[in-house]
């Protein structure tokens, strides 16, 4: 029943995405609300989000295939498939954000390796290759040195790319809100937390209900989620309190925008209450934490919180004009400092989420790899 | 019937008026009409290929054109193009902004040189400050190293340029610029959505064709049809390199009604700009970032 609902939701999301995909591919970027001042919008935030989920899922797969943790035996394939599905989702959203996406080949053939963006494109390509190799080895049942080597490379890339996402923002010294040394260091933790939340969903909702190890797996993932949520809150506190205490105007304005701006409700309501506090409370209840439905639901809430958190990292820093009077000096389309994603942007995100959901479900249902393993588990 | 008031005798004012009018009438009759029209002297028209007179007393625009032509004789790496903006002279007319839009055929949403306005103080001690903001052409530009495909770089003259054919439109350079000096071209035209009616001198279709006709930034034609570059690209001020290499000043400099914007080679000690950039009342924006802008403001 739950799976059917997920199929239905995935299909509806894909339908909702048709408009956005059509508009972006055949008309262009005319219907987006980001622009020349708020240069990166919802799609970049979702790219950070999906990339975090993908690299985090890969980190979780190492519990099975690299570190041989007995409790998580059999979960690695779900995590790897999750990484393989969500990384393309990240690349679609960031690809759509390019003014000339047809020129992406130039990053491969004419790259500027001093650019973090170029490094990330190459890194994601290697990561996808590592994920494919790991999955291929897993399909063949290999747990030898080849698998360990592939997973080691993949784990290194997952950590490096997670940090790189933070650095992509942090290197902009002109954006006080981003330019803190801690930012790249935070992102691998965010990725791990996102991956853990994904695994709560995958094991809680899609994994086999009759697997005797499932309650214990969920219990451990729940504890991980709680700890990581607390670390996340600590990072937030460190960032915001430092910014407000130092009083650097641009930084204070950005933090105030997050806390008390027009989308303050998203921070307090979705990111803090729904995405952090509620999961902590629920997952600390052993009975609920071991229950597949509740664990999965908390995984969804945590991911929603992370989605909002990514937006709250990207938008506010860009909503502070570089120079006083710049915004009012010249008016025109996409010369706005106030940003709210357009319907077309939301449509694309809905479509990407739908595609990723359907791809994951179809993979676990149709790929013989999952069926064979299921029987073995049985 | 009331008695009629006695007629007043002519007074002194009336006498002067009448005499003045008579004198003017007689002078007009005596004057040569052709000479009256030529009362304001004009310069002799230039012959083809002739350059207006140079020299210390010449108009600053003429002097700067001479500076540019002198600089062009040097090797590109020996030139150091800089812009000096005298904020004391800027009246906030925005002519430079519009001239730049016209010169580079900038579409809606793309601007290279906005004029920032700031109100300082409170009534009655209040004033307005106008600050044109072209690209700073930084010596250490934060926008170039972030480009994943080397589409934006400092050319051999030290001007930061964009290769529209190479740019993938990621807007990393827009994000990195501390001056907000880059804008993205989303492919608009000013005429879209305007009424279409027969009988207009220039109908929407013709105007739209004009807007989509190629511009000549960087010395080559950029055709906007079919979503071609520079649509989808990052765009920025380039000191009108296409004009400069032909011995002309950037359009914003030529257009400034107050001669508030100066341009030239800072390495030329005889040049106009060299006289200003070392003055104590000169500032550069956000110096603390170490970007070393090539735009100097006189305050």
């Amino acid at each position: 029943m739950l799976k059917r609902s997920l199929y239905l939701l995935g299909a509806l999301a894909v339908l909702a995405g048709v408009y956005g995909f059509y508009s972006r591919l055949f008309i262009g970027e005319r219907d987006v609300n980001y622009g020349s001042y708020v240069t990166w919008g919802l799609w970049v935030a979702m790219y950070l989000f999906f990339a975090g989920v993908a690299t985090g899922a890969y980190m979780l797969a190492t519990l099975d295939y690299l570190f041989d943790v007995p409790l998580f035996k059999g979960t690695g394939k779900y995590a790897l498939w999750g990484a393989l599905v969500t990384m393309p989702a990240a690349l679609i959203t960031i690809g759509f954000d390019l003014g000339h996406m047809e020129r992406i080949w130039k990053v491969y053939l004419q790259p500027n390796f001093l650019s973090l963006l170029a490094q990330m494109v190459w890194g994601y390509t290697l990561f996808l290759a590592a994920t494919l190799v790991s999955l291929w080895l897993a399909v063949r049942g290999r747990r030898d040195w080849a698998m360990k080597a592939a997973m080691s490379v993949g784990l290194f890339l997952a950590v490096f790319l997670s940090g790189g996402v933070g650095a992509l923002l942090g290197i902009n010294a002109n954006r006080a809100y981003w330019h803190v040394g801690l930012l790249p260091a935070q992102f691998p933790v965010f990725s791990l937390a996102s991956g853990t939340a994904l695994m709560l969903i995958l094991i809680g909702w899609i994994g086999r209900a009759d697997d005797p190890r499932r309650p214990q797996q969920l219990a451990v993932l729940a504890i991980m989620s709680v700890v990581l949520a607390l670390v996340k809150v600590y990072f937030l506190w460190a960032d915001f309190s430092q910014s407000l205490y130092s009083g650097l105007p641009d930084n204070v304005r950005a933090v105030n925008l997050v806390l008390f701006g027009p989308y303050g409700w998203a921070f307090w309501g979705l990111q803090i209450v729904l995405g952090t506090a509620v999961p902590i409370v629920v997952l600390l209840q052993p009975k609920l934490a071991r229950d597949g439905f509740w664990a999965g639901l908390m995984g969804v809430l945590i991911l929603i919180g992370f989605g909002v958190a990514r937006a709250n990292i990207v938008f506010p820093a860009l909503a502070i004009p570089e120079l006083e009077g710049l915004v009012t000096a010249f008016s025109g389309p996409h010369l706005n400092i106030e940003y709210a994603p357009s319907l077309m942007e939301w449509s694309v995100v809905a479509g990407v989420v739908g595609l990723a959901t359907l791809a994951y479900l179809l993979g676990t249902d149709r790929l013989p790899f999952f069926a064979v393993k299921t029987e073995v588990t049985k | 019937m009331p008695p009629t008031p006695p007629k007043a005798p002519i007074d002194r004012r009336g006498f002067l008026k009448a005499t003045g009018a008579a004198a003017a009438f007689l002078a007009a009759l005596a004057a040569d009409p052709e000479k009256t029209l030529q009362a304001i002297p004009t310069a002799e028209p230039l012959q083809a290929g002739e350059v207006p007179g140079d020299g210390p007393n010449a108009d600053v625009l003429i002097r700067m054109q001479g500076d540019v032509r002198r600089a062009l004789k040097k090797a590109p790496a020996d030139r150091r193009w800089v812009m000096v903006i005298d904020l004391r002279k800027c009246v906030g007319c925005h002519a430079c902004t519009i001239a730049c839009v016209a010169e580079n055929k900038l579409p809606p949403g793309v601007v290279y040189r906005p004029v920032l306005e700031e109100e300082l103080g409170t009534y009655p001690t209040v004033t307005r400050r106008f600050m044109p903001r072209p690209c700073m052409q930084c010596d250490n530009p934060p926008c170039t190293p972030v480009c994943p495909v080397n589409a934006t770089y400092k050319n051999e003259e030290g001007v930061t340029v964009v290769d529209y054919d190479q740019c993938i439109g990621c807007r990393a350079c827009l994000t990195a610029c501390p001056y907000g000096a880059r804008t993205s071209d989303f492919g608009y035209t000013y005429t879209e959505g305007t009424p279409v009616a027969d009988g207009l001198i220039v109908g929407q279709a013709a105007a739209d064709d004009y807007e989509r006709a190629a511009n000549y930034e960087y010395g080559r034609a950029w055709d906007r049809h079919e979503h071609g570059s520079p649509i989808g690209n990052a765009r920025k001020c380039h000191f009108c390199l296409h004009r400069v290499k032909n011995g002309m000043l950037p359009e914003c400099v030529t257009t400034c009604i107050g001669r508030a914007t100066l341009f030239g080679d800072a390495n030329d000690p005889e040049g106009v700009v060299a006289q200003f950039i070392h003055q104590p009342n000169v500032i550069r924006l956000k110096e603390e970032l170490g970007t070393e802008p090539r735009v100097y403001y006189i305050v």
Side-chain angles (χ1 to χ4, degrees), chain B residues 15 75 89 107-108 147 149 171 180 220 236 255-256 286 294:
Chain B
F15 173 76
K89 289 184 176 177
C147 178
V149 290
R171 297 186 302 284
R220 60 160 279 199
K236 64 181 285 296
T255 314
C256 181
K286 299 191 179 184
R294 288 190 178 193

Side-chain angles (χ1 to χ4, degrees), chain A residues 223-361:
Chain A
I223 291 170
M224 281 177 68
S225 291
V226 170
V227 171
L228 290 168
L230 291 173
V231 173
K232 186 182 72 180
V233 171
Y234 172 73
F235 279 148
L236 267 181
W237 165 253
D239 277 353
F240 287 3
S241 62
Q242 244 188 169
S243 299
L244 295 173
Y245 189 86
S246 68
L248 192 65
D250 281 3
N251 214 348
V252 171
R253 285 169 71 184
V255 172
N256 278 334
L257 209 56
V258 174
L259 299 179
F260 312 113
Y263 298 99
W265 60 268
F267 174 77
W268 294 109
L270 298 180
Q271 187 178 336
I272 297 298
V273 175
L274 214 59
T276 307
V278 171
I280 287 176
V281 171
V282 171
L283 293 176
L284 279 177
Q285 315 299 317
K287 197 176 170 186
L288 294 179
R290 289 163 179 267
D291 183 283
F293 173 76
W294 281 100
L297 185 62
M298 291 308 107
V300 170
L301 291 186
I302 292 171
L303 287 185
I304 288 173
F306 266 111
V308 176
R310 294 294 78 88
N312 272 334
I313 284 181
V314 175
F315 309 159
L318 297 169
I320 310 300
E322 295 286 6
L323 296 169
E324 284 299 328
L326 179 63
V327 180
T328 50
F330 194 84
S331 60
H334 305 278
L335 290 179
N336 203 336
I337 212 76
E338 288 156 6
Y339 172 74
S342 69
L343 185 66
M344 178 261 210
E345 288 172 79
W346 281 115
S347 170
V348 164
V349 170
V352 169
V353 171
L355 283 175
T357 306
L358 290 184
Y360 192 86
L361 292 172

Side-chain angles (χ1 to χ4, degrees), chain A residues 27 29-30 34 36 39-40 97-100 103 106 110-112 115 117 172 174-175 322 324 326 329 333-334, chain B residues 133 145-148 164 166-171 175-178 183-184 186-188 192 227 229 231 233 286:
Chain A
I27 297 174
E29 289 181 286
R30 298 282 292 265
Y34 58 76
S36 294
T39 49
W40 292 336
D97 195 71
L98 298 178
H100 282 282
R103 296 180 185 165
K106 287 176 183 281
Q110 298 161 2
N112 167 22
S115 156
L117 258 173
N172 293 287
N174 53 323
R175 312 281 179 183
E322 295 286 6
E324 284 299 328
L326 179 63
H334 305 278
Chain B
R133 197 255 31 227
V146 297
C147 178
Y164 290 149
Q166 182 73 1
C167 174
I168 63 171
C170 65
R171 297 186 302 284
T175 309
C177 175
T183 43
S184 196
F186 285 87
Y188 291 87
E192 63 190 72
H227 278 265
S229 286
I231 294 175
N233 292 133
K286 299 191 179 184

Side-chain angles (χ1 to χ4, degrees), chain B residues 149-203:
Chain B
V149 290
N150 286 315
T152 184
Y153 55 90
K154 284 181 78 66
N155 72 4
E156 54 185 348
E157 295 171 276
V159 175
T160 302
V161 297
V162 180
D163 180 346
Y164 290 149
D165 281 338
Q166 182 73 1
C167 174
I168 63 171
C170 65
R171 297 186 302 284
C173 55
L174 275 74
T175 309
C177 175
Y179 306 100
R182 288 168 176 254
T183 43
S184 196
D185 188 336
F186 285 87
Y188 291 87
T189 57
Y190 279 101
T191 46
E192 63 190 72
T194 54
V196 180
D198 294 333
L200 295 176
I201 295 172
V202 179

Side-chain angles (χ1 to χ4, degrees), chain A residues 2-67:
Chain A
L2 194 58
K3 211 175 213 182
R4 273 190 195 169
S5 304
L6 287 176
Y7 266 115
L8 184 65
L9 284 173
L12 287 174
V14 170
L15 274 180
V18 171
Y19 155 64
F21 274 67
Y22 173 80
S23 177
R24 177 62 191 94
L25 293 174
F26 296 100
I27 297 174
E29 289 181 286
R30 298 282 292 265
D31 292 331
V32 301
N33 278 356
Y34 58 76
S36 294
Y37 296 149
V38 180
T39 49
W40 292 336
L42 181 67
W43 294 344
V44 171
M46 287 300 102
Y47 147 70
L48 301 185
F49 169 75
F50 284 122
V53 173
T55 49
Y58 196 95
M59 290 176 195
L60 268 289
T62 61
L63 292 177
D64 185 2
Y65 292 129
L66 182 60
F67 300 112

Side-chain angles (χ1 to χ4, degrees), chain B residues 208-263:
Chain B
D208 185 68
D209 283 348
Y210 167 77
E211 282 203 77
R212 291 184 189 281
N215 70 352
Y216 288 89
E217 289 177 277
Y218 305 111
R220 60 160 279 199
W222 298 97
D223 194 341
R224 292 177 67 78
H225 284 97
E226 303 294 329
H227 278 265
S229 286
I231 294 175
N233 292 133
R235 302 186 66 176
K236 64 181 285 296
C237 156
H238 36 66
F239 275 179
C240 280
L241 280 176
H242 56 285
R243 289 173 58 89
V244 171
K245 78 173 185 181
N246 288 303
M248 293 184 281
L249 292 166
E251 187 62 43
C252 55
V253 178
T254 306
T255 314
C256 181
I257 61 168
R259 305 289 195 263
T261 299
L262 310 173
F263 178 82

